[in-house]
Structures are given as structure tokens and as C-alpha cells.
Amino acid sequence: MEYTTEVSEPHVSSFGLAHSIDQLAVGAGTEGNQYTIEAGWDVDPAYFTSSTANPHFFIFVNPDKYGSESCYDCHFTPAAEAKITPGEALEPSTTNFTIGVKYSGGNWWIWAGTQWIGYVSGSAWGDHFTKGTSESNYGEVFDRESDPTTQMGDGQPGASANATPMTAPVILLSESSYETTGLEAYTTNSSLYSIGDINAGRTEWHFGGNGLNPPEQWYGPLALGMKTLGSGPAAAVTGSGEQVVVWKGENGGLWEADYNGTWHGPFEIPGMAVLGSQPTVAITPSGEQVVFWKGGNGGLWEADYNGTWHGPFEIPGMAVLGSQPSVAVSSKDEQVVFWKGGNGGLWEGYYNGTWHGPLEVPGMAVMGSQPTVADSPSGEQNVWWEGGENSLYEAYYNGTWHGPVALGMKSLASAPSAAITSGDEQLVFWKGENGGLLKGYYNGTWHGPVEIPGMATLGAQPAAAVNSKDEEEVWWEGGEGSLWEAFYGEMG
């Protein structure tokens, strides 16, 4: 009997013997559980005291209907070349991880990952347990019944295609034959923990849940089902919390999607001609969307939405842009647009009822990428870019320009993207040299780079924003022109 899953790292509460398990159980005897052999991964701070937050591989031997002789990780004889042993910490991963058991030669053998790792002698059950009459694959949470805050799987509900999977369950009929089993599902608390995203053959499904009062953590990557991207995305969040994502489509046009509890799109904005670069977007204090891009003639172009789309308009006199632009809007409704100039320097134009510029920001040397800009709550303008040798640079304006400053982070494989929280924490994201999602942040001191785990390979520069709860949101083109997202916060 075996199945394939992924190794997750769920949050487990501080309650007593709280744990979160993903496992297989094969049983026989009275009610199918007088004898069982069980195997899987478990986050169990009370049992695995040396690394309380990590998932560990485990086996469970039950010879007496979960009585006093039942035990974890006992009676086990490892195989000579075993890569994993019961009780060993596992690395969380979205890579397939197979768990299995079989009875052979008087022993119950255990499969973990890619090999048979060892066995438990049938004598542990008095040689009464030689085949299974029941088989289950399941997630299990043990927690305070009135307030279960422990997560199951990776914390995402079963309906999510990115929740922890269970796939390819099989029953081994003999040494050389097997039968694929189907799904007969049930849950004990479907409002908190669920099964979903079941395939047509009922041989693959996802499971999990957040429990009550879920912790803040990274969720994703989430595929949003939009496959028209011809560039990286840009994003902004309105005052009411609506998320707006724009991009250059595969046909060169301006495309958009929005989220207000449900994703809508993708939509092509009519009449915007062919964009010469990835667009950038911001929201004014009145809720108007303003979108800028480098036009086919190298100039700065704009469109805006206030219930109806207007544009495109070329901003006069901005010369030839050397990169895609980046825009921020201040609390006073001033629009500030930055770009890399033809000479490699940092240039800007701004609008406060009339357009001004282009203006070169003095002393910024030669930029290695287009800039990204974010305004702080106090009105300070902060600009970041890749400054050569894959390093992150910053400059800021609070009445006078300061910088450039090298921030000591040298893992950039894309231009950065930035956002600032209402508490003035600065968040900068980029595609790392390994293709992953990396982050640096400033809360009085710079920290990073930190890789966000499990985000796979980004296809382009990410787009960052903070939502109405001050939670971090990141989008990117994830390959094949598709839009992906991850966010840090609580998944409700």
C-alpha cells in the first residue's frame, strides 16, 4: 500500500500533545484497527523536541488496538542503504514524496521517498498481522477541541489546487501486482479542514486547512489561471482593498485583472495600441488607476481609469526612455514616474496638475536595471535598482536626494519591485539568481536577502504591493505566460 504526497510544514499550536500528520495506515483484525502499521510525516513539538517546528518521518506500530504496547518509531530494522530513518527531520518541499508499506518475508517493510528504508518484524504483532484488510491515507490534527489553531497539510483548504496533495494510492496485491484505489472521503470538521480538488478518476485530491485564528505566513504559489502575459506584471491596491494587476499582453496590448474577493479577468484594455515595455500602475487618493509605459517610440505614455478608460496619451517632452517606467502617487496626489535614461542614469517626471521633466537625478551613476519606486507614509520617495554585479541599490528624496547606497544584497537576477507598509516598513522583492523569490526589508535596519520558500522558479521580475491589511502581496509571470501570486498573511 502506498501513496504520494508532499512534505509540508504546518503551524502547530502550543496545546499539550498537539500535532499535524500526513500518513498512511494499513490495518486488520477487529474493526480493521486491532493491528495497524502506519507511516508518514508529523509535526509534533512534544515528541520531536530537538526541532519542534519541523516535519519528521515516523512509523507507528499498533499491535493491541492502540493500547500500551503501541509505539512510535519502534521495532524498526533499517536497510543498509537507507537514506531516511524513522524520527528523522524532513525538508519541507513540493517535490513528490512517496510513503508505502508491504508485508514480505514475515516483515512489514517501509517505503519513504525513493526506497524501502527498512522493516518491522511481524513478531511485533505476534505474527498475527500478515495482510491488511483496510487502508487509509489521511491528514490528522490533534489540538484543543474548542480552539484548534493547528494547521493541516500546508494550511490551505483542500479546494485549493496548491494544497498538500495525495496522489496515486495503490494496494499491493503481491510482489509484482497492484491495484489503484479510489477515494472515499470524509472529514470530521469540514469548516476547518477539508478535502477537495478531486480529479475525475478519484485518484488525486488535496487536503488541509488553517484551523481557527490562522497564523501569518507565506501562502502560495497560486496559479491564477491567466495566461496572456507578454511581460512581467505590475500591481497596486485601491483604498477599498481591490487588487489591480496589469501587464503587456502577448499581442502587445495592455491587459488587466482585478481581485475584490474573487479574481476577474484577464481583460484587454481597448485602444491602447502596442506597448513598448512592461507597464506600471498606481492608484490615486481618489481611486483613479494610472498606468504608464514606454511607448513604441521610446516616449512615456499613460492611460487612466476613473470608471471609464482614457488614453493612451503621450506625456510630452519626456525624451527617450532607456527602460520601462515605475510610478508612485503621493498622498497629495502628485504622480512621480522614474526610469533609467539612455545614459544609464536615474530620470524622473512628475505631475502636480502640470507635467514637469524630464529631470535627471544627479549622482546616481549607471543603473543596471530599471528602477522601482514607492512613497513612504511621510511622503519620502524611495527608489531601488540593480546597480551592477547583481546588487541592490537605493536612493531616497525627502526634500533633498540621498544616495546611491549599496545595501549589501547581491543575489538579484531581475530588477527589484518595492512596496511600503503603513508602518513605514520597506519591502523589496526580486527574482534571485536561482530563480526563486527573494526579499530584503527595512524596519530601521536592513535585513536580507531572505528567500521565500517554495515559490518555484519565477519567469520574470515580480510585482509587489501591500493590501488593505498591510499584508505583503507578490505576483509574477511563472512560465508559459501565466500569472502567479503569493502573499504573506492569514488565509481565511
Side-chain angles (χ1 to χ4, degrees):
M1 298 74 175
E2 68 180 37
Y3 75 107
T4 297
T5 185
E6 295 171 359
V7 179
S8 303
E9 192 174 21
H11 161 79
V12 172
S13 81
S14 58
F15 171 71
L17 301 177
H19 60 244
S20 184
I21 288 175
D22 176 353
Q23 74 165 77
L24 168 153
V26 175
T30 306
E31 298 178 358
N33 66 358
Q34 180 176 358
Y35 312 120
T36 66
I37 177 68
E38 304 174 25
W41 60 256
D42 181 13
V43 178
D44 190 335
Y47 183 68
F48 300 109
T49 57
S50 62
S51 50
T52 58
N54 296 103
H56 292 72
F57 187 75
F58 78 94
I59 64 169
F60 186 77
V61 176
N62 164 30
D64 59 349
K65 205 169 185 178
Y66 299 102
S68 60
E69 295 182 24
S70 298
C71 50
Y72 281 97
D73 304 333
C74 53
H75 306 296
F76 180 76
T77 301
E81 303 299 323
K83 299 176 183 177
I84 296 172
T85 57
E88 182 176 333
L90 301 174
E91 187 69 26
S93 173
T94 55
T95 301
N96 286 345
F97 186 84
T98 299
I99 299 166
V101 300
K102 72 173 181 179
Y103 186 80
S104 178
N107 303 311
W108 281 98
W109 283 82
I110 311 296
W111 182 283
T114 59
Q115 62 177 171
W116 296 108
I117 63 169
Y119 64 87
V120 177
S121 171
S123 63
W125 295 267
D127 293 316
H128 300 302
F129 181 33
T130 60
K131 65 179 180 179
T133 58
S134 66
E135 188 268 344
S136 301
N137 312 321
Y138 56 91
E140 173 186 296
V141 160
F142 181 81
D143 202 350
R144 182 185 295 105
E145 186 172 354
S146 62
D147 185 28
T149 60
T150 293
Q151 295 177 318
M152 182 183 291
D154 64 1
Q156 300 186 63
S160 169
N162 295 287
T164 304
M166 289 185 175
T167 64
V170 299
I171 295 176
L172 307 176
L173 302 177
S174 68
E175 290 288 339
S176 59
S177 65
Y178 64 90
E179 178 180 294
T180 301
T181 65
L183 170 67
E184 293 184 13
Y186 72 94
T187 61
T188 58
N189 191 337
S190 59
S191 65
L192 299 180
Y193 309 106
S194 59
I195 299 168
D197 195 39
I198 304 167
N199 73 353
R202 302 179 73 79
T203 58
E204 177 177 347
W205 59 91
H206 295 79
F207 75 98
N210 238 344
L212 293 173
N213 304 312
E216 289 195 338
Q217 65 174 48
W218 278 100
Y219 294 93
L222 308 172
L224 301 182
M226 303 183 198
K227 296 187 176 182
T228 62
L229 278 73
S231 75
V237 179
T238 70
S240 62
E242 182 179 15
Q243 302 170 21
V244 178
V245 183
V246 299
W247 61 89
K248 176 183 176 179
E250 294 172 325
N251 64 352
L254 177 61
W255 289 71
E256 177 186 18
D258 63 90
Y259 177 84
N260 58 5
T262 305
W263 277 103
H264 306 272
F267 309 109
E268 182 172 11
I269 310 305
M272 296 298 147
V274 176
L275 281 65
S277 76
Q278 174 180 322
T280 181
V281 61
I283 309 296
T284 70
S286 63
E288 183 179 35
Q289 297 175 31
V290 288
V291 182
F292 297 86
W293 63 91
K294 176 183 176 179
N297 63 352
L300 179 62
W301 289 72
E302 175 191 15
D304 62 88
Y305 178 82
N306 59 4
T308 305
W309 279 101
H310 306 271
F313 311 108
E314 182 172 11
I315 310 303
M318 294 296 154
V320 177
L321 280 66
S323 75
Q324 66 194 51
S326 180
V327 62
V329 178
S330 74
S331 59
K332 297 179 180 179
D333 207 11
E334 184 176 68
Q335 301 172 25
V336 183
V337 183
F338 291 88
W339 62 90
K340 175 183 176 180
N343 63 351
L346 177 62
W347 290 72
E348 79 173 301
Y350 67 94
Y351 178 83
N352 58 5
T354 305
W355 277 101
H356 305 267
L359 307 169
E360 182 171 12
V361 180
M364 296 298 142
V366 177
M367 299 159 71
S369 75
Q370 69 266 18
T372 182
V373 59
D375 268 14
S376 72
S378 63
E380 181 178 83
Q381 296 171 20
N382 297 267
V383 184
W384 296 265
W385 63 91
E386 189 276 310
E389 299 181 355
N390 302 325
S391 56
L392 181 63
Y393 278 73
E394 177 190 21
Y396 66 93
Y397 179 82
N398 58 5
T400 305
W401 277 102
H402 304 266
V405 178
L407 300 181
M409 303 185 202
K410 296 187 175 183
S411 56
L412 280 73
S414 76
S417 180
I420 299 179
T421 70
S422 62
D424 211 12
E425 183 176 17
Q426 301 174 22
L427 311 167
V428 185
F429 294 87
W430 61 90
K431 175 183 175 179
E433 293 171 316
N434 64 352
L437 177 62
L438 277 86
K439 169 187 172 182
Y441 64 98
Y442 178 83
N443 56 9
T445 305
W446 277 101
H447 305 268
V450 178
E451 181 167 7
I452 310 304
M455 296 300 143
T457 301
L458 279 67
Q461 171 196 6
V466 291
N467 64 25
S468 55
K469 298 179 182 179
D470 250 358
E471 295 171 335
E472 303 165 36
E473 303 266 0
V474 185
W475 297 264
W476 64 90
E477 188 275 312
E480 298 182 354
S482 57
L483 181 62
W484 290 73
E485 176 189 17
F487 67 93
Y488 183 84
E490 298 180 359
M491 178 173 281

